[in-house]
Amino acid sequence: VRALALALRKHPELGGFWREGAFVPATGIHVGLAVSLREGGLINPAIHDADSGSLDQLMKRIRDVSSRARNGGLRASELSDATITLTSLGERGVDAVLGIIQPPQVAIVGVGTIRERPWIVEGQVVARRLIEVGLAADHRVSDGHKGARFLLEFEERLRAPETLQ
């Protein structure tokens, strides 16, 4: 969540809304977190200001919002102001996720399962823990080049956890 939020700081065109025929940039970085409900279905509450505060505070907010989502205790703002969505089916063993954008948002990032795979390092095949990340973005506000730059920034943040504070 933090890596996504920090990547969004550098690529704000993927964080906002398509309203009345135009892109409306978000005033904050509120990552929508796809949460499966016990009785079935999916809900997308916002983790407000996911780019700020300590990682411990962020984890507490994520646990709180996820719990309240499953118990029906979310605030209206948490259901309406996510500026981008993060969805993960990694815990289900799915290798890759290509999410469906939830309007009026303009982007969603999908994360699969971390798996050990062969990787070439200095001409040698080595085992590396890898994860597949997908991005669906509204082409009215972005394009493949901008999306690739965003994903590279996201990857850099994931590879350097010390930058997430």
Side-chain angles (χ1 to χ4, degrees), residues 30-33 44-48 65 74 77-83:
H30 311 313
V31 175
L33 191 60
N44 184 34
I47 307 298
H48 290 117
V65 166
L74 292 172
S77 64
E78 291 169 324
L79 291 171
S80 63
D81 63 359
T83 58

Side-chain angles (χ1 to χ4, degrees), residues 16-40:
F17 311 97
W18 186 262
R19 291 194 172 124
E20 298 178 19
F23 176 65
V24 178
T27 57
I29 297 177
H30 311 313
V31 175
L33 191 60
V35 177
S36 62
L37 301 176
R38 289 186 182 102
E39 63 275 359

Side-chain angles (χ1 to χ4, degrees), residues 47-61:
I47 307 298
H48 290 117
D49 303 311
D51 60 327
S52 63
S54 73
L55 287 178
D56 286 340
Q57 291 168 331
L58 178 61
M59 288 307 300
K60 286 177 186 173
R61 287 187 285 160

Side-chain angles (χ1 to χ4, degrees), residues 61-82:
R61 287 187 285 160
I62 290 170
R63 282 191 295 273
D64 173 58
V65 166
S66 297
S67 174
R68 287 187 295 110
R70 289 189 177 106
N71 294 319
L74 292 172
R75 294 183 286 277
S77 64
E78 291 169 324
L79 291 171
S80 63
D81 63 359

